[in-house]
Amino acid sequence: MIKDRISMKLFTFLLAILISAASVPISFGLFSYGAEFDENKSHWAEEYIIYCFEKEYFDGDIENFQPDESISRAMLVSCLARAAERYETKGLQDSGGKKVGAAFCMDADKGTLFSDMTGDEDYADDVKWAVDSGIVNGIDGRFCPEQAVDRQTVAVMLHRLINYLGADIQSDWSVLLDYADSDDISQWAVEGIAYCELAGLMTGNESGMFLPNKMLTRAEAAVILKRFDEYTRLLKI
């Protein structure tokens, strides 16, 4: 009987410790997530995020990355510029033997590219490269650097980037778009989304929806950047 009482007290004491610990945000690996995440798991995209920091696609400290925040236009363009840079340094050539595209990361022109840019921003060179390469356009004469980017816009940018890198992708893949929300896809994004689906760069969710108007998170961008590296290696660009 005494042993049973001691065992019950010990069990109650240990249970109280576990309950107390469960209410405190816990740091796992390189990210501190807090109560909104399952504290027994790391972030689902941690592998991809670490990869992108190792490749220096992302700036700043990994501990402050905020993976579930939307990625901005400026941040995404800078990531794409860094991901594509190694192809420029390899001396990417067109069929005529001449280097494709402008020299990489040149100083921005004295004039402004867009009405909301001075040309002195830390992302100005990346924006200039992306515009010169035909990867991005402005929005009514502005770049809108802090604006979040939706999934269909990202797909179009990726499609243009692969084209810029010299892959032969002139075709029509619209027949591949059988998403449950295909009617929500803008006409200008159809080819880009179809190509990204075919290439495995971007796919639909478990419900068969592409969610073209959903803003891309930084974690999702990390996944796409790693897939981009893997895909371009397969193409042997």
Side-chain angles (χ1 to χ4, degrees):
M1 180 69 72
I2 294 176
K3 288 183 179 180
D4 290 341
R5 288 177 182 174
I6 293 173
S7 297
M8 181 60 68
K9 287 181 179 180
L10 180 60
F11 172 77
T12 303
F13 175 71
L14 292 173
L15 182 62
I17 291 176
L18 290 172
I19 293 173
S20 175
S23 64
V24 179
I26 300 176
S27 178
F28 289 88
L30 297 171
F31 307 103
S32 182
Y33 298 132
E36 69 270 28
F37 290 90
D38 184 343
E39 60 190 17
N40 295 314
K41 298 179 181 179
S42 59
H43 193 278
W44 66 269
E46 185 167 327
E47 171 193 347
Y48 302 93
I49 295 168
I50 292 172
Y51 173 88
C52 287
F53 270 95
E54 289 175 345
K55 293 290 186 179
E56 299 183 345
Y57 294 161
F58 293 126
D59 284 328
D61 298 323
I62 194 170
E63 294 86 352
N64 301 318
F65 180 63
Q66 297 180 308
D68 297 312
E69 292 294 316
S70 298
I71 192 167
S72 69
R73 283 169 56 85
M75 186 176 185
L76 180 61
V77 165
S78 292
C79 289
L80 294 179
R82 292 164 189 163
E85 184 173 8
R86 59 196 173 103
Y87 299 102
E88 288 279 349
T89 56
K90 281 182 181 178
L92 182 66
Q93 295 184 340
D94 62 14
S95 59
K98 297 179 180 179
K99 194 171 182 181
V100 175
F104 209 88
C105 289
M106 291 175 61
D107 292 334
D109 290 340
K110 295 293 183 180
T112 59
L113 293 172
F114 299 106
S115 61
D116 57 352
M117 289 182 61
T118 65
D120 296 324
E121 296 85 359
D122 56 3
Y123 53 82
D125 293 338
D126 297 329
V127 173
K128 182 180 185 301
W129 165 80
V131 172
D132 289 346
S133 306
I135 295 167
V136 299
N137 299 314
I139 302 173
D140 296 326
R142 297 172 297 134
F143 179 64
C144 303
E146 299 304 319
Q147 182 173 307
V149 192
D150 59 36
R151 285 171 52 83
Q152 64 180 349
T153 300
V154 175
V156 171
M157 292 168 67
L158 288 168
H159 184 221
R160 291 173 177 172
L161 177 56
I162 297 295
N163 189 44
Y164 165 74
L165 292 175
D168 182 13
I169 58 175
Q170 302 302 317
S171 188
D172 179 11
W173 301 280
S174 57
V175 293
L176 297 178
L177 291 185
D178 57 353
Y179 297 112
D181 58 350
S182 292
D183 290 343
D184 296 334
I185 297 173
S186 300
Q187 189 59 40
W188 51 264
V190 168
E191 189 172 352
I193 292 174
Y195 182 79
C196 285
E197 167 74 21
L198 180 68
L201 298 173
M202 297 178 71
T203 57
N205 63 14
E206 62 278 3
S207 300
M209 303 177 71
F210 185 78
L211 305 175
N213 299 307
K214 179 182 179 295
M215 300 304 161
L216 193 78
T217 67
R218 297 174 183 181
E220 290 168 339
V223 173
I224 289 172
L225 288 166
K226 189 172 187 295
R227 288 175 178 173
F228 169 83
D229 279 353
E230 294 167 348
Y231 178 64
T232 48
R233 281 196 293 268
L234 287 175
L235 289 180
K236 297 180 180 179
I237 294 177

